[in-house]
Amino acid sequence: MARAKPHSSFLKRLSRHDVAVDLGTANTLIFTADEGIVLNQPSVVCFERSTKPGEATVAAVGREARALLGRTPTNLETIRPLSHGVIADFPAAEHMMRRFVAMARTQPRFGRRASFTVCVPALANHVERRAIRETALAAGAARVSLIDESFASAVGAGLPVSSATGSMVVDIGGGTTEVGVIALGGVTCSGSVRVGGDEFDRAIVNHVRALYGVVLGDQTAEHVKKTIGSALHGEPVEIMRATGRSVEDGLPRTIELSSEDIADALAAPLRQVIDVVRHVFETAPPELVTDIANTGIVLTGGGALLGRLDQCLAAELGVAVRVADEPLTCAVRGAGAAAAYRDAHAFE
Ligand code: ADP
Ligand code: MG
């Protein structure tokens, strides 16, 4: 748990050709003030295994590369360069970002000399921050500024970030859940746990294997989560069919899964999400806790779309909870809006 200083670089000047980047564990988004979201792709890159050592050829990135995850032929290697919100494979991240920026550059107003505002988790250390900076520079940024991801998400969710009244954002991404308390233009306190959508998928795979003796692929588990996933038991119960491999004979088997099964599977990882929010409440200044009790918690990130998650957290924490509009794009839109805000102030 860390207490960060108010976000001073928030008021720095930026030019109007700036782009905002959300380099997430699951998805990368690029935003420009003029064009809005110019890129929204899974954070996946696929390499052709090179014959010469030290040389890598990118075979595919984004959606194309994601389609290959779990079904890659031996001459290809599919990589997710980020893990738990930070860069785990630096060269792969660099190749991926270069391709993404090139794809985004097809937009007419994507400036050659663009400054990048890149979201970074509050608890990322200086090595991880430098890796993000260098990746952006390698991808063609003229300058790079980092913005607290919770802060950007709060701006994107339309929260009154400059006000003295505290707000809380819970961002559930692919690899992490980040909790931030925002007031007076900065993150006052934050918490993070290495549990997110990926862990939910794994929990579904494990539960279904234990209950039905069928092993689902990660992408099948994710599809089930998105289609009938629920954080709580309750009516109406939704049902869908899913196919995996039987543990017994190794052959394909189709089973029926219900939203109740998924609620059971997700109970343990959701407990960790609830615990980190609780912990942030315990460490936050009492005045801000009172503010949040009045204004409620806002959920962002793709995990916020899990069925009945708002109800589950509200019941556990005794605080009103709502899902932000377009939770998957809050961070990048917020980073872009924060840049525009700085621009306006530069003329004062
Ligand atoms: P990151 O910031 O780490 O890249 P995102 O905010 O893009 O992550 O969220 C990605 C996660 O959200 C994935 O684990 C994905 O499975 C999950 N997700 C997306 N849509 C839904 C949905 N409708 N229900 C539950 N989870 C979802
Ligand atoms: Mg994110």
Side-chain angles (χ1 to χ4, degrees), residues 159-174:
L159 293 176
V161 293
S162 307
S163 141
T165 308
S167 331
M168 183 187 273
V169 186
V170 177
D171 180 282
I172 306 177

PDB file of all heavy atoms in Angstrom, residues 159-174:
ATOM      1  N   LEU A 159     -15.347  11.475 -13.090  1.00  0.00           N
ATOM      2  CA  LEU A 159     -15.360  11.828 -11.663  1.00  0.00           C
ATOM      3  C   LEU A 159     -14.757  13.217 -11.457  1.00  0.00           C
ATOM      4  O   LEU A 159     -13.912  13.656 -12.234  1.00  0.00           O
ATOM      5  CB  LEU A 159     -14.572  10.784 -10.864  1.00  0.00           C
ATOM      6  CG  LEU A 159     -15.205   9.400 -10.842  1.00  0.00           C
ATOM      7  CD1 LEU A 159     -14.302   8.413 -10.115  1.00  0.00           C
ATOM      8  CD2 LEU A 159     -16.570   9.451 -10.168  1.00  0.00           C
ATOM      9  N   PRO A 160     -15.164  13.905 -10.389  1.00  0.00           N
ATOM     10  CA  PRO A 160     -14.647  15.251 -10.139  1.00  0.00           C
ATOM     11  C   PRO A 160     -13.259  15.193  -9.520  1.00  0.00           C
ATOM     12  O   PRO A 160     -13.076  15.411  -8.318  1.00  0.00           O
ATOM     13  CB  PRO A 160     -15.675  15.815  -9.143  1.00  0.00           C
ATOM     14  CG  PRO A 160     -16.203  14.621  -8.425  1.00  0.00           C
ATOM     15  CD  PRO A 160     -16.132  13.457  -9.377  1.00  0.00           C
ATOM     16  N   VAL A 161     -12.231  14.929 -10.358  1.00  0.00           N
ATOM     17  CA  VAL A 161     -10.887  14.643  -9.846  1.00  0.00           C
ATOM     18  C   VAL A 161     -10.200  15.845  -9.184  1.00  0.00           C
ATOM     19  O   VAL A 161      -9.332  15.665  -8.339  1.00  0.00           O
ATOM     20  CB  VAL A 161      -9.959  14.097 -10.957  1.00  0.00           C
ATOM     21  CG1 VAL A 161     -10.412  12.725 -11.410  1.00  0.00           C
ATOM     22  CG2 VAL A 161      -9.887  15.051 -12.136  1.00  0.00           C
ATOM     23  N   SER A 162     -10.582  17.056  -9.575  1.00  0.00           N
ATOM     24  CA  SER A 162      -9.922  18.233  -9.002  1.00  0.00           C
ATOM     25  C   SER A 162     -10.552  18.657  -7.682  1.00  0.00           C
ATOM     26  O   SER A 162      -9.976  19.449  -6.939  1.00  0.00           O
ATOM     27  CB  SER A 162     -10.011  19.415  -9.964  1.00  0.00           C
ATOM     28  OG  SER A 162      -9.536  19.032 -11.207  1.00  0.00           O
ATOM     29  N   SER A 163     -11.721  18.127  -7.398  1.00  0.00           N
ATOM     30  CA  SER A 163     -12.452  18.535  -6.201  1.00  0.00           C
ATOM     31  C   SER A 163     -11.778  18.019  -4.920  1.00  0.00           C
ATOM     32  O   SER A 163     -11.028  17.034  -4.945  1.00  0.00           O
ATOM     33  CB  SER A 163     -13.887  17.998  -6.324  1.00  0.00           C
ATOM     34  OG  SER A 163     -14.366  17.546  -5.111  1.00  0.00           O
ATOM     35  N   ALA A 164     -12.054  18.680  -3.824  1.00  0.00           N
ATOM     36  CA  ALA A 164     -11.508  18.237  -2.535  1.00  0.00           C
ATOM     37  C   ALA A 164     -12.216  16.974  -2.059  1.00  0.00           C
ATOM     38  O   ALA A 164     -11.692  16.228  -1.225  1.00  0.00           O
ATOM     39  CB  ALA A 164     -11.671  19.345  -1.508  1.00  0.00           C
ATOM     40  N   THR A 165     -13.402  16.724  -2.594  1.00  0.00           N
ATOM     41  CA  THR A 165     -14.165  15.532  -2.218  1.00  0.00           C
ATOM     42  C   THR A 165     -13.534  14.292  -2.847  1.00  0.00           C
ATOM     43  O   THR A 165     -13.282  14.267  -4.050  1.00  0.00           O
ATOM     44  CB  THR A 165     -15.623  15.666  -2.712  1.00  0.00           C
ATOM     45  OG1 THR A 165     -16.127  16.911  -2.256  1.00  0.00           O
ATOM     46  CG2 THR A 165     -16.486  14.533  -2.195  1.00  0.00           C
ATOM     47  N   GLY A 166     -13.280  13.283  -2.018  1.00  0.00           N
ATOM     48  CA  GLY A 166     -12.614  12.083  -2.514  1.00  0.00           C
ATOM     49  C   GLY A 166     -13.533  11.181  -3.327  1.00  0.00           C
ATOM     50  O   GLY A 166     -14.735  11.113  -3.081  1.00  0.00           O
ATOM     51  N   SER A 167     -12.957  10.508  -4.334  1.00  0.00           N
ATOM     52  CA  SER A 167     -13.682   9.469  -5.083  1.00  0.00           C
ATOM     53  C   SER A 167     -12.824   8.221  -5.106  1.00  0.00           C
ATOM     54  O   SER A 167     -11.600   8.305  -4.974  1.00  0.00           O
ATOM     55  CB  SER A 167     -13.912   9.855  -6.546  1.00  0.00           C
ATOM     56  OG  SER A 167     -14.005  11.218  -6.750  1.00  0.00           O
ATOM     57  N   MET A 168     -13.475   7.093  -5.291  1.00  0.00           N
ATOM     58  CA  MET A 168     -12.718   5.839  -5.401  1.00  0.00           C
ATOM     59  C   MET A 168     -12.996   5.155  -6.733  1.00  0.00           C
ATOM     60  O   MET A 168     -14.145   5.004  -7.129  1.00  0.00           O
ATOM     61  CB  MET A 168     -13.056   4.880  -4.261  1.00  0.00           C
ATOM     62  CG  MET A 168     -12.216   3.595  -4.319  1.00  0.00           C
ATOM     63  SD  MET A 168     -12.704   2.346  -3.121  1.00  0.00           S
ATOM     64  CE  MET A 168     -11.756   2.848  -1.695  1.00  0.00           C
ATOM     65  N   VAL A 169     -11.899   4.760  -7.391  1.00  0.00           N
ATOM     66  CA  VAL A 169     -12.005   4.005  -8.634  1.00  0.00           C
ATOM     67  C   VAL A 169     -11.420   2.625  -8.415  1.00  0.00           C
ATOM     68  O   VAL A 169     -10.318   2.502  -7.877  1.00  0.00           O
ATOM     69  CB  VAL A 169     -11.190   4.666  -9.770  1.00  0.00           C
ATOM     70  CG1 VAL A 169     -11.429   3.950 -11.083  1.00  0.00           C
ATOM     71  CG2 VAL A 169     -11.534   6.113  -9.904  1.00  0.00           C
ATOM     72  N   VAL A 170     -12.157   1.600  -8.818  1.00  0.00           N
ATOM     73  CA  VAL A 170     -11.626   0.236  -8.792  1.00  0.00           C
ATOM     74  C   VAL A 170     -11.544  -0.221 -10.243  1.00  0.00           C
ATOM     75  O   VAL A 170     -12.570  -0.344 -10.916  1.00  0.00           O
ATOM     76  CB  VAL A 170     -12.528  -0.703  -7.960  1.00  0.00           C
ATOM     77  CG1 VAL A 170     -11.997  -2.129  -8.008  1.00  0.00           C
ATOM     78  CG2 VAL A 170     -12.623  -0.217  -6.518  1.00  0.00           C
ATOM     79  N   ASP A 171     -10.303  -0.401 -10.742  1.00  0.00           N
ATOM     80  CA  ASP A 171     -10.088  -0.800 -12.132  1.00  0.00           C
ATOM     81  C   ASP A 171      -9.700  -2.275 -12.172  1.00  0.00           C
ATOM     82  O   ASP A 171      -8.670  -2.659 -11.624  1.00  0.00           O
ATOM     83  CB  ASP A 171      -8.981   0.071 -12.745  1.00  0.00           C
ATOM     84  CG  ASP A 171      -8.707  -0.305 -14.196  1.00  0.00           C
ATOM     85  OD1 ASP A 171      -8.025  -1.328 -14.435  1.00  0.00           O
ATOM     86  OD2 ASP A 171      -9.185   0.416 -15.085  1.00  0.00           O
ATOM     87  N   ILE A 172     -10.544  -3.070 -12.811  1.00  0.00           N
ATOM     88  CA  ILE A 172     -10.257  -4.504 -12.904  1.00  0.00           C
ATOM     89  C   ILE A 172      -9.826  -4.816 -14.322  1.00  0.00           C
ATOM     90  O   ILE A 172     -10.629  -4.804 -15.249  1.00  0.00           O
ATOM     91  CB  ILE A 172     -11.485  -5.339 -12.483  1.00  0.00           C
ATOM     92  CG1 ILE A 172     -11.945  -4.891 -11.090  1.00  0.00           C
ATOM     93  CG2 ILE A 172     -11.137  -6.831 -12.501  1.00  0.00           C
ATOM     94  CD1 ILE A 172     -13.192  -5.589 -10.598  1.00  0.00           C
ATOM     95  N   GLY A 173      -8.541  -5.030 -14.503  1.00  0.00           N
ATOM     96  CA  GLY A 173      -7.984  -5.307 -15.827  1.00  0.00           C
ATOM     97  C   GLY A 173      -7.757  -6.791 -16.014  1.00  0.00           C
ATOM     98  O   GLY A 173      -8.355  -7.620 -15.318  1.00  0.00           O
ATOM     99  N   GLY A 174      -6.886  -7.145 -16.959  1.00  0.00           N
ATOM    100  CA  GLY A 174      -6.600  -8.549 -17.211  1.00  0.00           C
ATOM    101  C   GLY A 174      -5.797  -9.186 -16.090  1.00  0.00           C
ATOM    102  O   GLY A 174      -6.105 -10.285 -15.639  1.00  0.00           O
TER     103      GLY A 174
END
